[in-house]
Every structure is written in C-alpha cells, then in structure tokens.
Amino acid sequence: MAAYDKADLERRMQGAVEALKHDLVGLRTGRASVTLLDPVNVEVYGAHMPINQVATVSAPEPRMLSVQVWDKSNVGPVEKAIRSAGLGLNPITDGQTLRLPIPDLTEERRKELAKLAGKYAENARIAVRNVRRDGNDNLKTDEKKGVFSEDERKRHETEVQKLTDATIADIDAATAAKEKEILGK
C-alpha cells in the first residue's frame, strides 16, 4: 500500500483554498453581510463556538447587522468576541440583540483589511506547503519500501510541485481580487 495519494493531496490543497475564500468573504467592503461575523468565535459554556451557534445574525439594512443572542447569559461574551475580532465593529446592546452599525471604510481601515487578507493568504500558502511536504515525505517513504523507483519518485515530486504552484496561484488570485475590492481600485 503506497502512502502517496495524489488525489488526497489535491483535496487537502483545495481545502486550504476553500478556507481562504471563506476567510476572505468575512472581510467587509463597506456593506453589511452576515458572513462578516463568520470568523468570530465566542467563549461560552467553557468552549469556543462560532457565533452562528449561539446567535442569529441578520442584515436588516445595508449598513447594519443584527445579532440576536439566544441565551441572555451569552450577550456579554458575544459582544466581547465581536469587539476583539479586529473587524472594527462596535456593538450596541439592546436586550438580547446586538446592533452593529457598519462604519464607512477609511483609507487606513481599507489598508488594514488588505493586510489582513494578505495574512490569510500567507496562512493558506503555509498550509499548502505543509501538504506538499507531507506528499514528498510519503514519496520518500514509498521509495524506501520499494513501491517506487527513484525516477518515479522524482516524477511524482514534480507533479506535487506543479500542484502546489497551481494551488498557490489560485490563492494569489483570490487574494488579489479581494484586495482590489477592499481598496476600491
């Protein structure tokens, strides 16, 4: 049984791209979007949970988000999580509902968001490179076991590198498009 599985490497690399796209959707571009709060995790019941597991997020107006917290005891932790998420949002608490006015993006805030997009992209690139390393390690293991000859291993390593390059190009394209959207250029 060979440890090297090209389909598995492709799936894992695409997973990194999907995770990046999910993170980029959360970066706001001046409009209220319920996905804006997707990266927010709330510490409740002794665990970290995504905000959508403790509250309902809606966008009643183009420049306003509403967070309806289900359990009254979680209002404080949800508000704290939103404030500390680095999204530049200041919740206004009204009972069990938090209103989040979406401020206009200043040039400075746009640059911060573009930098954050770059950070997300770098994390995705690191994940892809880790998958490449795992694939190459598996190839070397298979070669030692006699599954592949040295030439076959090198040919497969070239395939893995091509897959890595293509995936990183996808990451760069997604990030460039988001930065362009954020910076309004």
Side-chain angles (χ1 to χ4, degrees), residues 14 53 55 66 69-70 75 82-83 95 97 112 121 125 140 143-144 162 166 168 174 177 181-182:
Q14 278 310 312
Q53 290 186 7
S66 174
V69 183
W70 302 328
V75 173
I82 293 170
R83 283 187 197 280
T97 303
E112 278 178 35
R125 285 188 209 99
K140 287 175 185 149
E143 183 190 0
K144 283 181 187 148
K162 282 181 183 165
I168 287 182
E181 183 184 334
I182 290 169

Side-chain angles (χ1 to χ4, degrees), residues 27 86-88 106-119 182-183:
L27 292 179
L87 297 170
T106 62
E107 189 60 31
E108 184 181 322
R109 185 66 184 140
R110 286 178 193 275
K111 287 178 180 163
E112 278 178 35
L113 289 171
K115 200 180 283 181
L116 191 56
K119 192 174 102 184
I182 290 169
L183 297 170

Side-chain angles (χ1 to χ4, degrees), residues 60-95:
E61 301 168 32
R63 305 198 47 82
M64 173 80 69
L65 283 177
S66 174
V67 180
Q68 180 68 44
V69 183
W70 302 328
D71 183 345
K72 199 173 195 153
S73 66
N74 292 338
V75 173
V78 168
E79 181 180 359
K80 182 181 171 206
I82 293 170
R83 283 187 197 280
S84 62
L87 297 170
L89 299 174
N90 290 313
I92 300 164
T93 308
D94 180 14

Side-chain angles (χ1 to χ4, degrees), residues 6 8-21 119-137 157 159-172 174-175:
K6 185 178 176 190
D8 180 56
L9 295 179
E10 279 181 33
R11 183 187 54 73
R12 289 171 56 199
M13 286 186 184
Q14 278 310 312
V17 173
E18 292 309 311
L20 169 70
K21 287 180 178 174
K119 192 174 102 184
Y120 288 160
E122 187 52 33
N123 289 342
R125 285 188 209 99
I126 289 168
V128 168
R129 289 193 289 264
N130 287 340
V131 173
R132 174 186 63 192
R133 186 194 60 227
D134 291 349
N136 286 340
D137 289 349
E157 281 178 352
E159 281 177 10
V160 171
Q161 187 58 49
K162 282 181 183 165
L163 183 61
T164 303
D165 293 343
T167 307
I168 287 182
D170 289 350
I171 289 169
D172 292 344
T175 306

Side-chain angles (χ1 to χ4, degrees), residues 139 142-143 146-156:
L139 284 169
D142 286 350
E143 183 190 0
V147 177
F148 294 133
S149 68
E150 184 180 348
D151 290 344
E152 284 177 300
R153 175 184 58 83
K154 286 182 178 173
R155 191 170 39 81
H156 286 305

